[in-house]
């Protein structure tokens, strides 16, 4: 430690070196204790060693940083001075608690140590001072146990066994009936355990005890358990953990003492009432350890009315001060209330909305605070989807874990085909190795979808998300056998008709019929979303392919359609037959004939979608997927489809085989289809423009946006633009009417981002297809990531699935390049994003930083995206204000 360097921040009695803005240095606990003390709340004095000591410790080769001792002593003298006591003193001994605390709470990383400073001598002094020998001995035995367990890593059960043995030996039912003599014996036995496990007698020097404890807290930051926790919860960029040392107050000093935890509002439903538990004559760990059953905080009103009133008042003061619902730890020592911790309380989605709306109405916070701090995107996500009741998550019923492809829980009977979905009168889960266009009708009628193959942007995932239907994709733990009609993980085997439950939010699948909680959003939701929209300057559109999707998108507040995947209109019924007829056409004539049938369907759909969306923008993408995706795969179906199309089976098989590609994702798809078969582009353009003209006749103003997929060169774009423009001219002549329209492109091939300037010269708008852009930047097939993604994440090769959260470093860099190049040429170039990342809060943060005009996501994610976009903007604005 360099001279003059200071790592100690005192608090208590108006002497605060820190405050609540210093969470990175002091941890949430230390920073808020200083803040509470500064506003005059009853906080026992103490000090916090800043998280920088973690870095020093690590730089020092995991050794005690030099000079820290004197700082610790300084801190102890600060407390001694304030409460007139002495650390290790034989008259009025100071006892302290030692706690860890990082800027982001990491529950379970390191437990608290209480009663530090007790030894064979000070315990007697404490007994004398309090005139309560039993209490002093009880504190000492607790301290030996905690110190032994937390600092010296002696297994807890070593102490517990001794404790239980003594209880039965002495015929004592509850620990509160231990006499001082029993406790003396227990202390000796604990010391023996300590000696047996460490080879040393129990540490008697209080400063040495404190040094050990601080060392243990710092060391806990580096344990594999803590490292894994940070990784799972995406916690990075922190300095480390701070260490808070605070004068002890005792909740175990008799029946006028207590300890407890409470929320300032009910965290389940948001009601404005204290919610929590407390224990009379106990110390904090008794509540956690479950040795005694805590009492509802409501009871405190009767038992300790004055303290309850004071606690309620402090709760209100804290809410106003921290502008959020608080989770408080408190202790009452002989009738005097002390606050030991406060932090923003965790809550359900329902409670989050109610608390946000109520606190604004109660003038405790502004609408801006509510949007930025009180509701998280994940709260909305949970609220909008059916959830499994958490207590129903039985480990032994777990069949496997796949990719959480579309949130929400679904329960139904296992079926393996669309026909079986149609036949069933019970709710069903469609279980497929992977899905294709053939499965769409079954997917639509099923409660949920489970696949053993495919990634987060596979057919199953994309379609399910669009419909808000739960989906677990790429669950490699299971084997699906269509012939046997079974799905198995090797231990549990389910057959068609057996119940299964899936959780698309976690990716876990369970055997059996689990209980669920239905989506629950009320006026608070709509009020809150109104505030959200005030702070959003990036539009949120929806990916919607049908009039029904469009209705849903609008009802969730979408400001337009950012992606209408036209291929999704050809699934099911007569439409797929017409599509198949078009695909197997040998001549242009035959193809045009089949297309004329598809034109009717498409025009009808566009008309309805335009009608639903009114004058809001609608971006329609021309046909994108490889054509063989529309053809059947299984023998039985091939035969049936051949009959429907009135072609011989052999001929049909030949056609199917001629359309097969080695790498379909990189094959004959996207604009390549329109370039080889311009009549497809012509038909789709005609359907869009004729539908729009019909509405124009009725007085509606709309500007259709036609989008060309998978463009890698400006020349590809120009080719298709010409086809579209020529078709429009022909239609305008035929109808003697005109209409404004836009022609833009998906940017989803890495090359397109590099030549964006050239493309921007010709295009009216860009929309990033981040699914394909991620696929082609990494070279990972988006349908095959299930096989390796989890290993990559486990081995730290990737921080998370880049198909879910945008890879800012790589794919993001390409996006920046394309935005800069595109806007260099056309400053007003409209740029959006319509890949799955458009609904992901962290990715939205990046899109806001690039000042995109809109994000587009599946309808059910629209509210989540609206909130994430507003929060991204507010954060950006406050960052600018700080510079
Ligand atoms: C994309 O690639 O991001 C995209 C939106 O298109 P699709 O998922 O249909 O390929
Ligand atoms: Mg794409």
């Amino acid at each position: 430690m360099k001279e003059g360097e200071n790592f100690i921040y005192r608090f208590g009695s108006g002497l605060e070196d820190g405050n609540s803005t210093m969470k990175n240095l002091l941890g949430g606990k230390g920073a808020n204790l200083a803040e509470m003390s500064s506003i005059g709340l009853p906080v026992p004095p103490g000090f916090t060693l800043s998280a920088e000591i973690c870095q020093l410790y690590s730089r020092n080769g995991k050794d005690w940083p030099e000079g820290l001792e004197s700082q610790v002593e300084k801190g102890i003298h600060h407390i001694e001075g304030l409460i007139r006591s002495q650390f290790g003193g034989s008259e009025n001994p100071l006892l302290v608690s030692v706690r860890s605390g990082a800027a982001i709470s990491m529950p379970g990383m390191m437990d608290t140590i209480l009663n530090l400073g007790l030894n064979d001598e000070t315990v007697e002094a404490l007994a004398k001072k309090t005139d309560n020998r039993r209490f002093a001995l009880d504190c000492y035995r607790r301290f030996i146990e905690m110190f032994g367990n937390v600092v010296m890593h002696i297994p807890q059960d070593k102490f517990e066994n001794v404790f239980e043995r003594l209880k039965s030996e002495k015929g004592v039912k509850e620990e509160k009936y231990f006499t001082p003599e029993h406790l003396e014996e227990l202390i000796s036995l604990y010391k023996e355990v300590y000696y047996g496990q460490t080879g040393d007698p129990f540490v008697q020097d209080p400063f040495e005890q404190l040094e050990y404890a601080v060392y243990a807290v710092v060391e806990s930051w580096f344990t594999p358990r803590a490292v894994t926790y940070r990784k799972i919860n995406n916690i990075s960029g922190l300095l480390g953990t701070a260490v808070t040392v605070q004068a002890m107050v005792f909740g175990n000093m008799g029946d006028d003492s207590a300890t407890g935890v409470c929320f300032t509002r009910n965290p389940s439903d948001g009601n404005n009432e204290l919610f929590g538990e407390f224990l009379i004559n106990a110390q904090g760990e008794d509540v956690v350890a479950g040795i005694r059953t805590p009492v509802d905080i409501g009871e405190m009103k009767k038992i300790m009315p004055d303290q309850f009133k004071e606690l309620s008042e402090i709760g209100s003061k804290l809410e106003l001060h921290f502008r959020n619902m608080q989770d408080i730890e408190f202790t009452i020592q002989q009738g005097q209330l002390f606050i030991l911790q406060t932090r923003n309380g965790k809550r359900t989605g329902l409670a989050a909305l109610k608390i946000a709306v109520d606190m604004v109405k109660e003038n405790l916070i502004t609408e801006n605070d509510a949007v930025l701090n009180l509701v998280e995107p994940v709260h909305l996500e949970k609220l909008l989807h059916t959830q499994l009741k958490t207590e129903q998550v039985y480990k032994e019923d777990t069949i496997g874990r796949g990719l959480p492809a579309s949130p929400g829980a679904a329960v139904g009977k296992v079926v393996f085909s669309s026909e079986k979905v149609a036949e069933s009168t019970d709710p069903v889960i469609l279980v497929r190795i992977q899905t294709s266009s053939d499965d769409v009708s079954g997917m639509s009628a099923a409660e949920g979808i489970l696949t053993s193959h495919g990634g987060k942007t596979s057919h199953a995932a994309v379609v399910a998300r669009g419909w808000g239907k739960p989906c677990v994709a790429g669950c490699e733990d299971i084997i699906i056998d269509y012939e046997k009609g079974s799905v198995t993980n090797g231990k549990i085997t389910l057959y068609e008709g057996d119940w299964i439950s899936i959780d698309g939010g976690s990716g876990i699948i369970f055997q059996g019929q689990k209980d669920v909680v239905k989506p629950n959003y009320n006026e608070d939701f709509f009020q809150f979303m109104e505030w959200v929209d005030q702070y959003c300057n990036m539009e949120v559109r929806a990916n919607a392919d049908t009039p029904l999707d469009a209705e849903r998108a609008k009802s969730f507040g979408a400001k337009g359609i950012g992606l209408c995947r036209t291929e999704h209109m050809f699934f099911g019924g007569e439409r797929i037959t017409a599509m198949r007829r078009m695909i197997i056409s040998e001549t242009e004539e035959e193809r045009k004939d089949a297309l004329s049938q598809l034109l009717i369907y498409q025009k009808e759909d566009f008309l309805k979608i335009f009608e639903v969306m009114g004058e809001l923008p609608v971006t329609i993408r021309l046909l994108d997927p490889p054509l063989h995706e529309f053809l059947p795969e299984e023998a039985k179906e091939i035969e049936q489809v051949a009959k429907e199309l009135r072609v011989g089976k052999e001929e049909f098989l030949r056609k199917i085989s001629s359309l097969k590609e080695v790498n379909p994702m990189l094959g004959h798809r996207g604009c390549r289809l329109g370039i080889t078969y311009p009549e497809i582009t012509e038909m789709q353009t005609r359907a869009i423009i004729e539908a729009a003209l019909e509405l124009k006749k009725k007085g509606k103003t709309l500007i259709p946006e036609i989008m060309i997929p998978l463009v890698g060169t400006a020349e590809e774009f120009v080719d298709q633009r010409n086809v579209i423009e020529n078709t429009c001219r022909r239609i305008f002549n035929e109808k003697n009417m005109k209409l404004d329209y836009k022609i833009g492109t998906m940017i989803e091939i890495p090359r397109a981002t590099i030549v964006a300037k050239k493309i921007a010269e010709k295009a009216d708008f860009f929309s990033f297809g981040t699914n394909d852009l991620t696929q082609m930047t990494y070279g990972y097939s988006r349908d095959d990531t299930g096989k390796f993604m989890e290993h990559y994440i486990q081995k730290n090769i990737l921080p998370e699935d880049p198909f879910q959260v945008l890879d800012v470093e790589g794919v993001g860099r390409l996006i920046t390049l394309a935005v800069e190049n595109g806007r260099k040429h056309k400053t007003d170039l409209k740029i959006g994003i319509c890949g799955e990342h458009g609904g992901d809060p962290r990715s939205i943060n990046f899109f806001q930083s690039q000042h995109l005009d809109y994000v587009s996501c599946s309808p059910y994610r629209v509210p989540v995206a609206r909130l994430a976009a507003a929060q991204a903007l507010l954060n950006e604005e406050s960052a600018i204000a700080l510079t």
Side-chain angles (χ1 to χ4, degrees), residues 795-839:
K795 290 191 168 176
N796 242 344
I797 291 170
L798 288 176
E800 57 236 317
D801 185 343
F803 287 99
Q804 189 182 4
V805 182
L806 191 91
D807 156 46
V808 170
E809 191 186 13
V811 179
R813 183 95 183 77
L814 292 177
I815 290 176
T816 305
L817 190 70
V819 171
E820 279 173 10
N821 284 341
R823 289 210 170 124
K824 221 178 264 166
H825 180 77
K826 243 182 219 165
T827 47
D828 60 345
L829 183 73
K830 194 149 186 145
I831 306 182
I833 169 263
C834 62
E836 291 304 312
H837 304 87

Side-chain angles (χ1 to χ4, degrees), residues 678-691:
E679 50 278 17
I680 299 179
T681 305
E682 282 167 15
M683 180 281 283
Q684 294 201 291
T685 305
R686 184 169 280 279
I688 297 165
I689 298 297
E690 285 190 359

Side-chain angles (χ1 to χ4, degrees), residues 27-147:
K29 205 171 284 159
N32 283 355
L33 278 168
E35 186 81 16
M36 284 198 290
S37 188
S38 75
I39 59 168
L41 296 184
V43 170
F47 63 92
T48 299
L49 294 167
S50 92
E52 290 159 304
I53 62 168
C54 266
Q55 307 222 311
L56 271 182
Y57 170 78
S58 157
R59 244 184 278 145
N60 235 19
K62 295 211 167 179
D63 215 351
W64 184 251
E66 209 185 305
L68 193 59
E69 259 164 49
S70 65
Q71 303 232 342
V72 170
E73 274 175 32
K74 187 173 144 195
I76 288 290
H77 293 328
H78 156 74
I79 308 177
E80 285 174 334
L82 285 175
I83 58 168
R84 289 196 205 92
S85 59
Q86 215 187 342
F87 200 44
S90 56
E91 278 197 5
N92 193 11
L94 166 66
L95 305 189
V96 295
S97 65
V98 180
R99 296 156 179 243
S100 66
I104 297 172
S105 120
M106 293 171 57
M109 182 176 84
M110 153 94 198
D111 302 310
T112 301
I113 302 158
L114 303 178
N115 310 326
L116 190 140
L118 279 176
N119 57 24
D120 294 349
E121 220 179 295
T122 54
V123 70
E124 295 304 337
L126 183 67
K128 208 162 140 208
K129 184 190 141 197
T130 57
D131 197 18
N132 190 342
R133 188 169 168 72
R134 195 200 170 279
F135 157 74
L137 291 168
D138 186 44
C139 288
Y140 194 23
R141 71 97 189 160
R142 285 169 187 270
F143 174 50
I144 299 171
E145 183 177 342
M146 274 184 155
F147 188 89

Side-chain angles (χ1 to χ4, degrees), residues 501-703:
S501 303
I502 66 170
D503 182 354
S506 64
I508 305 181
I509 53 176
F510 305 96
Q511 70 171 331
Q513 205 176 356
K514 304 291 180 227
D515 285 345
V516 292
V517 188
K518 292 275 174 211
N520 186 354
Y521 46 100
N522 48 28
E523 316 87 74
D524 290 336
F525 169 77
F526 295 104
Q527 171 63 83
F528 179 75
M529 293 312 294
E530 223 179 278
W531 296 335
V532 164
D533 287 343
Q534 293 171 30
Y535 300 102
C536 227
N537 70 357
M538 193 162 57
E539 244 173 46
V540 177
R541 297 192 188 181
N543 295 354
D545 316 320
T546 64
L548 189 70
D549 285 349
E551 302 241 20
R552 210 175 278 139
K554 227 176 135 186
S555 75
F556 282 131
K559 294 284 186 305
I561 291 181
L563 172 64
C564 172
R565 290 179 166 102
T566 49
E567 58 270 20
H568 289 182
M569 296 170 161
F570 300 130
F571 295 141
E574 296 164 348
R575 293 170 174 229
I576 186 92
T577 312
M579 185 66 183
R580 284 167 173 163
R581 186 163 292 127
M582 190 276 285
I583 293 169
I584 63 160
S585 306
E586 296 284 347
T587 65
E588 195 180 320
E589 246 42 81
E590 274 175 28
R591 194 169 307 108
K592 282 194 166 158
D593 190 46
L595 282 167
S596 65
Q597 182 62 40
L598 290 174
L599 172 68
I600 299 169
Y601 298 130
Q602 288 239 288
K603 190 172 154 186
E604 202 177 283
D605 284 349
F606 294 143
L607 203 58
K608 285 192 195 138
I609 289 176
F610 288 148
E611 265 169 353
V612 172
M613 297 309 288
E615 292 180 1
L616 293 176
V618 177
T619 308
I620 296 165
R621 184 181 71 185
L622 303 181
L623 198 65
D624 181 42
L627 296 181
H628 77 81
E629 277 195 11
F630 294 92
L631 296 176
E633 282 178 357
E634 286 163 39
K636 207 171 102 201
E637 240 204 313
I638 290 174
E639 208 162 319
Q640 188 189 329
V641 173
K643 264 192 212 138
E644 272 167 26
L645 296 176
R646 292 196 205 97
V647 288
K649 190 177 148 197
E650 292 309 311
E651 193 188 335
F652 191 43
L653 278 171
R654 186 180 50 76
K655 191 71 205 178
I656 292 175
S657 136
S658 75
L659 283 168
K660 279 244 159 17
E661 291 174 301
V662 177
N663 284 321
M665 271 295 178
L666 303 177
H668 195 187
R669 61 170 288 217
C671 64
R672 298 156 210 168
L673 290 171
I675 290 170
T676 44
Y677 304 127
E679 50 278 17
I680 299 179
T681 305
E682 282 167 15
M683 180 281 283
Q684 294 201 291
T685 305
R686 184 169 280 279
I688 297 165
I689 298 297
E690 285 190 359
L693 283 175
E694 280 195 26
L695 288 177
K696 190 178 179 185
K697 265 194 239 158
K698 293 184 189 163
K700 275 220 173 121
T701 318
L702 61 111
I703 305 173

Side-chain angles (χ1 to χ4, degrees), residues 239-271:
L239 289 173
T241 179
V243 187
T244 294
V245 179
Q246 190 176 25
M248 278 298 300
V249 281
F250 300 95
N252 56 337
M253 264 194 169
D255 285 347
D256 56 355
S257 302
T259 187
V261 285
C262 74
F263 291 85
T264 52
R265 293 176 195 238
N266 188 317
S268 302
D269 59 21
N271 275 336

Side-chain angles (χ1 to χ4, degrees), residues 565 621 624 669 710 746 748 769 771-773 782:
R565 290 179 166 102
R621 184 181 71 185
D624 181 42
R669 61 170 288 217
L710 226 68
M746 299 277 294
E748 51 186 344
N771 303 334
D772 273 311
L773 192 57
R782 55 197 263 193

